[in-house]
Amino acid sequence: MDRKLLEKLTTIHGVSGYEKQVTAYISEKLKPVADRLWVDANGNLIIYKKGSSPKAKKVLFCAHMDEIGLQVIKINEDGTLMVKELGFWFMYIAYQARVMFRNGVVGVVDARVDPSKMTKEDFCVDIGVSTKAEAEELVEVGDVARFLGPLQELAGGNLMASALDDRVGCYMQIQALLENPQPKNDVYMAFTVQEELGTRGGGVVAHQVRPDVGVAIDVTPSHDRPTGMIGSNALGKGVAIKISDTCSVSDEGLVDTAVALCKAQGIPYQKDVIYRGGTDAGAITLTGDGVKTIGFSVVTRYTHGQNCMVNVGDIEATVALTKAYMDAEFDF
């Protein structure tokens, strides 16, 4: 696994709607292997590789570039910054978290009321100044901040960092294409925007590509810690093959193909069924006359926070299945 690549991806500033820095970095990495590369009107990055098989299908892979964050809505007289969320985050995770703006200004999330009584509308960011005039020299209304959480290696083959949702998906798509640069299917690797604001990128990309198969590469919540969510997802059990979530039900034939590939190639896998959450697959499947969709995910603990945790073996298994799907034969 290329830890330096993943670390770089998790440190680039790319809050929902403001993903240009991520786009530039991924474009630089993949331009040498792309048959075609373009950025659409909404900011989605799409890389095309022509397949070598006469039976090639158009297979669209989507991983979103955006991360959750904050946006300044007002600068207070005391120099603190009133903010709103861009993408969902939990109050108990955000409170007293460190954040960084695109210009490098760092602050800490505070609340204007007793923390035990706070709502998200009570949040503000303290950047260390004491007056509105001082703050205005550093930050403007509309500026966005990301949560800070550097990549750390943990015991058990696990990694922890902010923005793993879904920079780990971006990483896996990049690795899959670099390791399988001559796929049998016509492959479209899309890196989408604004997924955290309502899966806005996947549908736009699918409308352009008109794929035969859509694959969302993302994260999915774990159920191996007492987080209030119940299910069978666990770190270290392999790639999570999406069966269903709130927004999509995976095509049974695509699931059968994915499972068969895992069994044939010895790729560890688990079946991913969750009752809350969704991915770009939900938008892709409703595009045009409909698209057969599936999802390949990495199980994560503490998602939508600066300390998201993933397993290296699960990442490698997801890369392996993604590469296999680039070469898969489909019976439709």
Side-chain angles (χ1 to χ4, degrees):
M1 178 179 166
D2 189 342
R3 283 175 171 77
K4 289 185 178 180
L5 173 58
L6 181 59
E7 181 175 18
K8 177 62 177 179
L9 286 167
T10 59
T11 58
I12 303 174
H13 213 293
V15 174
S16 295
Y18 301 88
E19 303 92 347
K20 290 183 178 180
Q21 292 180 29
V22 189
T23 304
Y25 179 75
I26 296 176
S27 297
E28 180 183 349
K29 293 291 292 186
L30 293 183
K31 188 175 181 179
V33 298
D35 290 336
R36 184 187 172 202
L37 181 153
W38 74 98
V39 179
D40 69 17
N42 286 10
N44 299 295
L45 170 64
I46 307 165
I47 286 90
Y48 169 65
K49 286 293 295 185
K50 182 171 178 56
S52 60
S53 172
K55 297 181 180 180
K57 298 287 189 181
K58 288 201 293 184
V59 183
L60 169 64
F61 297 88
C62 282
H64 67 90
M65 296 184 289
D66 60 312
E67 62 184 305
I68 59 169
L70 311 172
Q71 187 165 43
V72 178
I73 61 175
K74 180 184 178 182
I75 300 177
N76 296 318
E77 292 298 326
D78 64 359
T80 60
L81 314 171
M82 290 183 63
V83 291
K84 72 170 187 177
E85 62 181 355
L86 285 176
F88 175 82
W89 38 260
F90 299 96
M91 287 197 298
Y92 57 83
I93 291 176
Y95 181 60
Q96 293 195 355
R98 292 187 186 187
V99 297
M100 184 176 70
F101 290 88
R102 289 196 290 180
N103 63 0
V105 171
V106 174
V108 60
V109 178
D110 193 7
R112 296 178 292 128
V113 298
D114 183 333
S116 65
K117 301 177 181 179
M118 66 187 178
T119 68
K120 288 186 177 180
E121 292 184 356
D122 297 315
F123 276 114
C124 62
V125 172
D126 183 347
I127 58 173
V129 300
S130 301
T131 67
K132 181 177 182 179
E134 290 177 293
E136 287 176 334
E137 293 181 1
L138 301 172
V139 179
E140 297 181 2
V141 170
D143 283 354
V144 295
R146 70 186 301 264
F147 291 97
L148 288 178
L151 185 74
Q152 298 283 340
E153 294 191 29
L154 305 173
N158 297 325
L159 302 172
M160 180 172 65
S162 63
L164 282 170
D165 181 8
D166 184 32
R167 302 293 168 70
V168 68
C170 296
Y171 167 85
M172 293 185 297
Q173 288 195 166
I174 292 170
Q175 280 298 107
L177 190 56
L178 292 177
E179 294 178 17
N180 186 12
Q182 300 298 328
K184 293 181 180 179
N185 287 303
D186 291 333
V187 169
Y188 294 81
M189 285 285 184
F191 300 85
T192 60
V193 299
Q194 299 190 44
E195 191 269 355
E196 299 292 1
L197 302 181
T199 61
R200 296 175 181 177
V204 173
V205 170
H207 177 77
Q208 298 172 65
V209 173
R210 307 285 175 164
D212 299 306
V213 174
V215 186
I217 308 291
D218 211 322
V219 303
T220 193
S222 71
H223 303 123
D224 56 359
R225 288 291 185 274
T227 60
M229 298 187 71
I230 300 171
S232 58
N233 292 348
L235 265 69
K237 288 189 175 181
V239 54
I241 299 174
K242 180 73 67 182
I243 305 300
S244 72
D245 56 28
T246 308
C247 302
S248 68
V249 176
S250 296
D251 178 83
E252 287 187 282
L254 298 184
V255 171
D256 290 343
T257 297
V259 170
L261 287 168
C262 286
K263 290 181 176 179
Q265 299 187 21
I267 302 169
Y269 73 94
Q270 54 191 306
K271 290 188 175 181
D272 174 29
V273 183
I274 59 174
Y275 60 81
R276 186 165 67 241
T279 69
D280 274 331
I284 296 168
T285 196
L286 298 176
T287 303
D289 295 327
V291 180
K292 293 177 182 291
T293 57
I294 190 171
F296 303 154
S297 298
V298 168
V299 173
T300 59
R301 296 177 189 155
Y302 323 118
T303 315
H304 281 215
Q306 62 272 33
N307 299 307
C308 183
M309 189 185 300
V310 295
N311 179 266
V312 172
D314 294 344
I315 294 172
E316 293 173 341
T318 308
V319 172
L321 180 55
T322 301
K323 291 192 298 181
Y325 232 64
M326 293 164 69
D327 292 337
E329 291 188 6
F330 301 97
D331 58 358
F332 60 88

